[in-house]
Amino acid sequence: MTAGVAGDPRSFAPPAEVIATGVCTHHPGPSTRLLDGTRITDHWFELPLDHARPEGARIRVYAREYVSGADHDLPWLLFLQGGPGGKGVRQAQLAGWMKEASQRFRILMLDQRGTGLSTAANRNTLPLIGTPKDQADYLVHFRAPSIVQDAELVRLSLEAEPWTVFGQSFGGFCTLSYLSWHPEGMSRALITGGLAPLDGPADRVYRATYQRMRARNEEYFGRFPEDRQVLGRVYDAVRAGETGAAPSAVLPDGSPVTVGRVQMLGMFLGGNTRMDQLHYLLQEAFEQEPSRASTVIGASAGTLTDTFLHGLYQQVSRATNPLYLVMHESIYAQPAQTALPQPAPVTAAAPLARSEADATKTAWAAQRILRSSPDLADFDPARTAHPLLTGEMVFDWYAALDPALTPLQAVTEELARRTDWGPLYDPEALAANTVPTAAAVYTHDVYVDRALSLETASRVCGLRVWETDEFHHDGIGEDGPGILRRLLSLTDGSP
């Protein structure tokens, strides 16, 4: 493969050379303390937009430093958040994995480019770039290789020694990219629920995760059997509104409730305790009629409560993280040279079917797989009245319905059709990896498939896997200290 397309990390300027030119700037802010005494410091960096052309346009990248106690000489730990489009965690006081980590590290919480206090990429800013094609060309620089080049420039700007990198979910994808392109900047790598496939089309991800979601649906309805009927009633109420047989339901932002958007409540199934939160929400799905003559009447026929609609809105709105939708399938997009042969479509009439020539086009992979697979009819609202809940799947109607995404609909489509992608990873570098690396693989993870994770683990030299069925995708939110201790123990011997 040869470098050449925008965003290709093989064409990026070496970070040390970029720092030497003086084009990167670092502006630390004042330090303050949280209620528990933790010292926090804001850090602002001006970094190249296009790392292949460091003399060109620059963007702002923000990070927040957390130091517990008076020891400011601890080694650094960089945390890479899940996403795409997720900003760094904002803590009012240290708890969970951060409290555990703060005993050994200074923590740097990065707002990945385009998120949080870093230069924004949203409905207000992206249209200023130009046409949808111009915007897509701009966003090519917001993938994992550019994020980790930012991180390495940040490390050098801080004059820090090689640091521990801890990546959760998409942050784990970024950590693999860091190991690929800048292992010299890492003393160890820790990954939770984030071992991405190193090659192949996005299709293989969704073929696996639909099956995971089916099993998780059955587990949920096995635990709360009454919720299957309640969810069916929700679907019926929504369809009645769509046909005019009943008033249409709308979310707090005025956007319509659709069956597909209700299916997105499956995002609750990505965690152990979040399953209970879904149950609580469905318990309050329908309005109760007022009591009459001292008799309490049951639920009304089909009026969805404001509580339910607000809970649904919190799951489907991308107002706070628009890049989650815009960039989502691009986190799997690879050059044709690294793509594995694509499985033959299940039916000859598969929508948006691709040729080998455009094998890197994601082209709404989750949607294509759903519509072209007979065995996925139970997820498809067009083929079943009461479909199963979905997970981290994105669809082409997503941007059309969300007011925060509507101005980004055209650029999202541009990215879905794009074929000229640079590589996300360097398999040869990973095969020769010498950085102590450990990963937690969650057996029943519905977002990052176990089999694909173990396939990747087998291709990273020295990577030590801890597999567990005790947690789901958000394990560090349930027992962050224990998971962090386990991964650190697997990488003992590094600084």
Side-chain angles (χ1 to χ4, degrees):
M1 294 182 291
T2 58
V5 302
D8 189 329
R10 295 166 298 182
S11 64
F12 289 177
E17 294 181 12
V18 176
I19 292 294
T21 66
V23 300
C24 300
T25 61
H26 171 215
H27 303 284
S31 295
T32 59
R33 291 195 178 273
L34 301 179
L35 186 62
D36 63 2
T38 300
R39 180 177 65 83
I40 60 171
T41 305
D42 295 331
H43 293 273
W44 308 86
F45 304 88
E46 295 290 329
L47 305 177
L49 166 65
D50 180 353
H51 288 299
R53 297 173 176 79
E55 73 285 352
R58 292 188 292 174
I59 60 171
R60 181 180 64 248
V61 172
Y62 170 81
R64 178 176 286 121
E65 173 188 356
Y66 293 84
V67 177
S68 178
D71 189 351
H72 300 167
D73 296 324
L74 293 172
W76 287 93
L77 180 149
L78 171 70
F79 182 72
L80 296 174
Q81 176 71 322
K87 65 185 179 182
V89 177
R90 268 61 173 165
Q91 290 291 110
Q93 62 181 10
L94 292 189
W97 75 263
M98 290 186 69
K99 186 172 183 179
E100 178 73 21
S102 69
Q103 299 175 34
R104 298 178 57 176
F105 301 100
R106 302 164 71 178
I107 300 169
L108 193 69
M109 188 66 64
L110 183 70
D111 280 356
Q112 299 165 15
R113 51 172 56 199
T115 74
L117 290 173
S118 296
T119 297
N122 57 38
R123 67 185 175 95
N124 297 315
T125 63
L126 285 173
L128 302 177
I129 300 297
T131 66
K133 174 65 164 57
D134 295 333
Q135 296 170 46
D137 290 343
Y138 176 81
L139 288 175
V140 164
H141 301 295
F142 285 68
R143 299 209 303 159
S146 294
I147 292 169
V148 301
Q149 180 92 352
D150 287 346
E152 187 61 5
L153 291 172
V154 165
R155 184 185 71 83
L156 294 174
S157 296
L158 292 171
E159 299 182 351
E161 295 295 320
W163 52 15
T164 292
V165 178
F166 181 13
Q168 156 66 13
S169 190
F170 173 68
F173 293 22
C174 293
T175 303
L176 287 171
S177 191
Y178 212 143
L179 287 168
S180 294
W181 310 113
H182 294 298
E184 73 279 2
M186 308 171 76
S187 62
R188 80 173 93 204
L190 311 174
I191 297 171
T192 52
L195 287 178
L198 300 183
D199 43 30
D203 303 40
R204 65 198 299 250
V205 173
Y206 296 109
R207 290 186 191 280
T209 54
Y210 272 120
Q211 303 305 325
R212 294 285 179 191
M213 280 303 303
R214 176 182 287 117
R216 188 65 166 155
N217 270 263
E218 292 308 312
E219 181 183 353
Y220 175 79
F221 291 121
R223 182 176 173 191
F224 302 109
E226 68 276 18
D227 286 0
R228 191 186 296 271
Q229 181 180 4
V230 175
L231 181 62
R233 290 178 56 216
V234 171
Y235 287 142
D236 292 343
V238 171
R239 291 186 189 276
E242 292 175 336
T243 62
S248 298
V250 297
L251 298 180
D253 61 0
S255 63
V257 178
T258 65
V259 170
R261 297 183 97 181
V262 173
Q263 286 180 272
M264 291 167 61
L265 289 174
M267 294 292 284
F268 278 112
L269 302 184
N272 284 337
T273 58
R274 283 170 57 79
M275 179 184 280
D276 296 280
Q277 293 174 333
L278 174 58
H279 173 62
Y280 298 148
L281 185 62
L282 288 173
Q283 280 187 316
E284 297 186 77
F286 290 98
E287 293 288 2
Q288 301 289 320
E289 293 182 1
S291 59
R292 299 173 183 170
S294 300
T295 301
V296 177
I297 309 299
S300 59
T303 304
L304 296 172
T305 65
D306 287 343
T307 296
F308 176 82
L309 294 172
H310 182 71
L312 177 60
Y313 170 77
Q314 290 179 310
Q315 293 301 307
V316 306
S317 173
R318 295 299 166 208
T320 61
N321 58 342
L323 293 183
Y324 178 87
L325 178 278
V326 177
M327 300 295 292
H328 198 94
E329 290 194 350
S330 77
I331 69 177
Y332 302 111
Q334 297 268 46
Q337 297 98 318
T338 63
L340 296 175
Q342 184 183 358
V346 176
T347 66
L352 296 172
R354 301 180 296 176
S355 68
E356 285 300 316
D358 61 2
T360 57
K361 184 192 301 182
T362 57
W364 302 107
Q367 180 168 292
R368 286 186 294 99
I369 294 300
L370 173 64
R371 292 180 177 175
S372 65
S373 302
D375 65 321
L376 297 181
D378 48 354
F379 283 98
D380 190 350
R383 289 183 281 173
T384 184
H386 298 163
L388 297 177
L389 300 170
T390 55
E392 282 199 330
M393 292 86 175
V394 294
F395 303 92
D396 63 0
W397 48 258
Y398 211 122
L401 299 179
D402 188 337
L405 295 173
T406 301
L408 305 179
Q409 189 172 3
V411 65
T412 305
E413 189 62 38
E414 283 280 347
L415 290 169
R417 303 281 179 175
R418 193 179 188 96
T419 59
D420 52 342
W421 297 105
L424 295 168
Y425 315 107
D426 183 344
E428 292 184 4
L430 294 173
N433 174 58
T434 60
V435 177
T437 303
V441 172
Y442 304 126
T443 303
H444 304 299
D445 196 326
V446 295
Y447 301 152
V448 181
D449 178 68
R450 170 189 181 272
L452 294 178
S453 295
L454 295 179
E455 172 190 290
T456 294
S458 71
R459 298 173 62 184
V460 180
C461 182
L463 188 153
R464 302 187 66 184
V465 171
W466 172 53
E467 182 179 350
T468 175
D469 63 1
E470 186 177 352
F471 305 104
H472 279 264
H473 190 70
D474 61 354
I476 63 169
E478 294 188 33
D479 186 17
I483 292 172
L484 180 62
R485 285 193 297 269
R486 176 67 70 103
L487 296 183
L488 288 173
S489 73
L490 291 175
T491 54
D492 278 347
S494 60

